[in-house]
Amino acid sequence: MQTDGRSVLDETAAVPLDARAVEAAVRLADPASRAIRLNLVLVGQSGVQELVERVATLHPLRAIVVDLDGADAAAHVSAGPRWECIWLSGRPSQLNRVVSTASALLMPGLPTSAYWLQAPDLESTLFSRIVDLADRIVVDSATASDPLGFIFSLDRHAAEKQSVVSFADLSWSRIYGWRLLAARLFDAPADRANLSSVRTLAVEHGGSLPEPLLLAGWFVSRLGWELWQPPRQGSLSRRAPIQLVAHTGARNVTIDIRPAGSGGLLHSLLIDADRTRYRVARENGSVCTMVETNDGQRVADVCSPDREPVDVLVGQLTDQGRDRIYTEAVAALAPLATLNAAR
Amino acid sequence: MSVGLALDNPLREGLQAELAAEPCIIVIFGATGDLTHRKLLPALYNLAVDQRLPIGTAVVGFARRPKSDDEFRADMLQAIQTFTAEPYQSSFAEHFGQGIRYVQSTFDDPAGYERLREVCQEIDRERGTRGNRIFDLATAPSDFPVVLERLGAAGLVDRDGRAENGWTRLIVEKPFGHDLTSARELNDRVGQVFGEDQVYRIDHYLGKETVQNILAFRFANSIFESVWNREHVDNVQISVTETLGVENRGPYYEETGALRDMVANHMLQVLALVAMEPPIELEARAIRDEKVKVLRAIHPLTTAEVSRRTVRGQYGAGAIGGIEAPAYRDEPRVSPDSNTETYVALKVLVDNWRWAGVPFYLRHGKRLPKRSTEVAIQFKKAPELLFRQADAGGLDANLLVLRLQPDEGIALRFGAKVPGPGMHISSVRMDFGFGSAFGRQAADAYERLLLDAIQGDPTLFTRRDETEAQWAFITSILEAWQHLPPPDFPNYPAGTYGPRAANDLLAREGRSWARL
């Protein structure tokens, strides 16, 4: 049990794993009515309390924690301004009891999102049961042992279930700001023309592969390039450079993905066209752009503050629908599917 | 209400639905003034923090006070730190500040406008702003004519909006004239330099989320439109009440008064949104066309009508929230025998098919017991025949209240049976609060308005014909007041809900003001 999880479990008396008993405990913990807007099912233990309180600043919620690392079936209830937290714990063999209790405790008529604090086993019974409860599934491929395989598998699940549930990968959400800044660099007609003369794309990362791969996939899919399976690339490692080649129809583009330090975050995106170099990079807590022409003249240099990880999650909880741009970015990476991706 | 414009940039697809705006230079005339410090620069900073400000956007202050670029930049960063709602990040702010420049000049000096041109061209080269300009008249209205004339004479405005020269827009802060004649004159002066589609007249109420929500509420919910008319509505009340006095704005308020300050613009805009027909699309022209129809259906009043349908008030000494408040005439820089109204109530009739016969009661005042802006739609009572014998105690009319500030939300009053024997009906209230539901602090109105001006979306700005229609109605009242006996001021103590005559305005028609 993690420290914050222990604070919830230690400070509240256990309640039998029975939906009516839990509801009664919730009313005792917080008898005033609130405008709860969201059911959030959390699978995991670490960071739950902080996460719930942060989500509550935007979405008053009922959080239901599904914890199958418990000693025995029990429930703990706590509440605060704009949030209720129901912690359902049990042994793995008690999955059915825990999940059925969670199902009964979902507030009717409200959207239900589910978030795994660690990447789930997408083929597990638990994953399947939670997907059946939820309208929105949020996961993070950066926490998967095989992130690229996870991404492909997730996309397959999303396609199968798209009529009833939507999926979100936080690795894709985290690069939204990078995509926006990169896209803006090419708004002007002269810059847009440079897209056809791109020679290299270089992405530096802090040791996590999904973000640079998805960013590359996004570029490839948006610009209609075709990624070739690199003949010399035996596996994808977060610790070693990766070199890919994309064909634009007129020329080849080299895509370099390189580790640069630690921290797991993207460090920089460099786009070299014939006459101009475009750069998006993380600097001092901001993400900044720079455009430099071949004669060394800087044309733009503006920054936006980086978003905190929990804010990225909060922003994903109530979106609905399938993100076609994400799906196409993943599809663009298909030639890499046969490679082993070591985390 | 922004409509996305497709940019021919393949990387843009799927990104946040927004008008893809080009970077521009925002030239603020009167940049050392209060509005720039408290509203404009903090709003631009907040937009930059949210990654909504186009990369490269720059600000040039144009004002009389001698300052260097660095001094003005430091002032603006200090203002941002003081007034921004976003966390102030010094490293990010430093980057933001690199786009701030200053031109010191009087408003009538041609050399100042040449210097402005040079600075803008430098910024175009350095930051890629491509000739795009927004000129923001954040200065006293008396300066508007000379600034407009000099901008035109200096060739800084491309009225035809040729793409290779970039686009040019004008933001005009309120007040837009002080009566119909002055508003028309100002519009004519503006029109000599700018095309109407380049002009953005700010009414900051329209930038408020809650005001925009009036349209969302009306047209996103099918249950309300069928009862939103004279068949079901008894009256509509729009109230803007303030606890504050005139503070240190005595000289301005002496020339303005409550009717001009609040009713002539904000309240009539809110009325238009409440009363308008559904637009054919959520696009600027369609929405503004419908608002203008409402404003034109509010006919100017005769002197006799003004006498019957308007009430003026001025606060005397009193107490608000337990704290003593002086009389208006005792406020700093206010004439001791001033006849400026600090309170106004009026009955407005919208002469169209939907609203014929339904009174719209407007009231606004300073030094009232609480701060509130709300729209109350009082419906016609249900027939009581079912409940007469049951000693129901009389039925209250249903009341739908749109609270615009503070405590933004929507409330519905309806009748429900009191548990127990008999059929006793009591009014109950169903309440929805935006703050508790959405949690997020609404963006300042100026963030929305500045972004819309940058993106070229005029929906939330008033059009020439809107302002003139508003002034036509207001001017008829102002002129009639000149011919009516002077009011006996002060006629309401600070901390009360205005003069008795405001209650009589409704009471003689069997109505009363909704409790705030």
Side-chain angles (χ1 to χ4, degrees), chain A residues 58 176 187 192 299 303 324, chain B residues 12-13 16 92 126 438:
Chain A
L58 200 64
Y176 178 88
D187 279 340
R192 205 151 61 240
V299 179
C303 296
R324 178 177 59 82
Chain B
R12 275 254 177 218
E13 189 178 5
Q16 180 178 337
F92 176 75
E126 291 168 7
F438 293 115

